Amino acid sequence: MATEQTPAYTSASSGPTTIVLAGASGELGLQIALSLLERGAYVRALIRRGSTNPQIATLREQGATVVEVDFANSKELTEACVGAACVVSALSGLRDVIVDTQARLLDAAVAAGVPRFIPSDYSIDYTKLPYGSNRNLDLRREFQERLDKAPIAATSVLNGMFTDLLTGQAPVVLFKLHRVAYWGNADQPLDFTTLADTAAFTAAAALDPTTPRFLRVAGEVATIRGVQAAASAATGKKFGLLWAGGLGVLGTMIKVTRALMPTSDEVFPPWQGMQYLHNMFSGLPKLAPLDNARYPEIRWTSVREVLKSRNE
């Protein structure tokens, strides 16, 4: 469980706080929806018309109101946002989604008089990175520039890397080899937060009208040596370190890999994950200061717990 207690957020005059959530049928979006419902919110989940995602049934079963919309229809989006205290985006995609669709959602929130907007950031601190170092984060910065000009309060949740990726998707913890791979410095602090904890924090932030422009959290700040120790403790087997080279080597690997698939329309092609690791190992997007204590009911999940869950 990400939360030890779930305080209710209600108004004596209007009942539960209404939160509009776009992208609610995605992996992170669903968990945000469930966390909002646990906190007593009324969740209006915006789903692409005609979607057959099986998570839609889960949303309804758990108490969310599912609203099918055409995300290209500004009038429909505006009507769907009316009465909300905050619009939360958990949309995932490339420019057509992160910039274009989110821009329409933002305009709809403003037109509907919604006071607050949380964009689909959920990442390392892209504001500290140079343009061109990460395609997906460049898109988030592009949308940020538009968001900061809009007449609406905004809060971005930044959480580092999803710890869940260490169980297989990110080429860091090599379970079969009993090694932890890295580039650069094994003592560089890295930010990790689980999907569930990110969702719990986002839900709390959506219901908190006093949030600042950026909130930064890390379920655990660990170096590669710390990940090595966590892997050993979680599996009961001794893990070693595997230095794959300096950041220059990783940068060359990214260029070569990207050259082999230059027109990829995948959201997360192999070179995109490599860009993310390069960013993290550089230390530039390290989150600071951390806002973990803002909602004390949230219990943060460690790297060790996540790695242990893989073997259970």
Side-chain angles (χ1 to χ4, degrees):
M1 289 290 292
T3 56
E4 295 177 348
Q5 55 183 347
T6 52
Y9 292 80
T10 59
S11 166
S13 59
S14 59
T17 301
T18 297
I19 304 296
V20 167
L21 176 60
S25 61
E27 188 173 9
L28 176 61
L30 177 62
Q31 294 200 51
I32 293 174
L34 297 179
S35 292
L36 284 166
L37 291 166
E38 287 178 0
R39 290 175 175 271
Y42 174 82
V43 177
R44 190 181 300 155
L46 306 189
I47 302 298
R48 177 175 52 82
R49 181 169 291 115
S51 173
T52 58
N53 191 313
Q55 301 293 10
I56 295 174
T58 302
L59 287 165
R60 290 195 173 102
E61 291 167 1
Q62 295 301 315
T65 297
V66 174
V67 179
E68 292 192 0
V69 297
D70 176 359
F71 280 94
N73 188 314
S74 298
K75 182 174 183 294
E76 282 190 22
L77 285 177
T78 300
E79 291 174 351
C81 290
V82 170
C86 183
V87 169
V88 179
S89 173
L91 296 170
S92 177
L94 297 180
R95 176 176 300 280
D96 61 323
V97 176
I98 297 302
V99 178
D100 299 337
T101 299
Q102 278 202 129
R104 287 191 292 272
L105 184 64
L106 171 62
D107 291 344
V110 171
V114 179
R116 300 174 59 242
F117 190 97
I118 295 179
S120 186
D121 285 348
Y122 317 114
S123 63
I124 51 182
D125 194 343
Y126 60 83
T127 67
K128 300 177 180 179
L129 295 172
Y131 273 107
S133 69
N134 189 305
R135 179 199 61 181
N136 289 8
L137 297 185
D138 284 349
L139 295 175
R140 281 158 174 77
R141 179 177 291 185
E142 183 177 341
F143 179 71
Q144 175 207 352
E145 293 172 356
R146 175 159 186 162
L147 177 57
D148 286 343
K149 295 176 183 177
I152 191 171
T155 295
S156 289
V157 175
L158 303 178
N159 57 273
M161 174 188 280
F162 289 125
T163 321
D164 315 67
L165 298 177
L166 292 177
T167 61
Q169 287 180 264
V172 176
V173 182
L174 310 177
F175 289 93
K176 291 183 179 180
L177 298 178
H178 298 152
R179 294 288 186 274
V180 176
Y182 71 100
W183 290 263
N185 186 356
D187 295 310
Q188 169 60 50
L190 309 169
D191 299 309
F192 298 100
T193 313
T194 64
L195 278 160
D197 289 353
T198 301
F201 190 88
T202 301
L207 292 163
D208 175 3
T210 67
T211 52
R213 179 64 185 85
F214 289 94
L215 286 171
R216 301 170 175 87
V217 294
E220 182 174 347
V221 178
T223 65
I224 282 296
R225 297 188 198 280
V227 175
Q228 174 195 14
S232 298
T235 63
K237 299 177 182 178
K238 184 175 177 57
F239 275 66
L241 294 180
L242 177 61
W243 185 67
L247 292 178
V249 171
L250 181 54
T252 299
M253 291 173 59
I254 293 170
K255 291 179 181 178
V256 171
T257 305
R258 191 168 188 177
L260 295 174
M261 44 195 329
T263 58
S264 172
D265 58 359
E266 295 178 50
V267 179
F268 299 108
W271 54 264
Q272 168 61 40
M274 294 162 69
Q275 284 187 329
Y276 209 90
L277 288 174
H278 189 285
N279 294 152
M280 291 184 69
F281 285 125
S282 76
L284 292 176
K286 177 71 184 71
L287 301 174
L290 293 178
D291 298 292
N292 286 36
R294 187 177 181 91
Y295 308 113
E297 68 275 12
I298 296 176
R299 186 188 71 78
W300 300 96
T301 308
S302 68
V303 170
R304 177 181 175 178
E305 288 176 278
V306 171
L307 296 180
K308 185 178 179 181
S309 68
R310 181 183 184 274
N311 297 317
E312 292 178 345

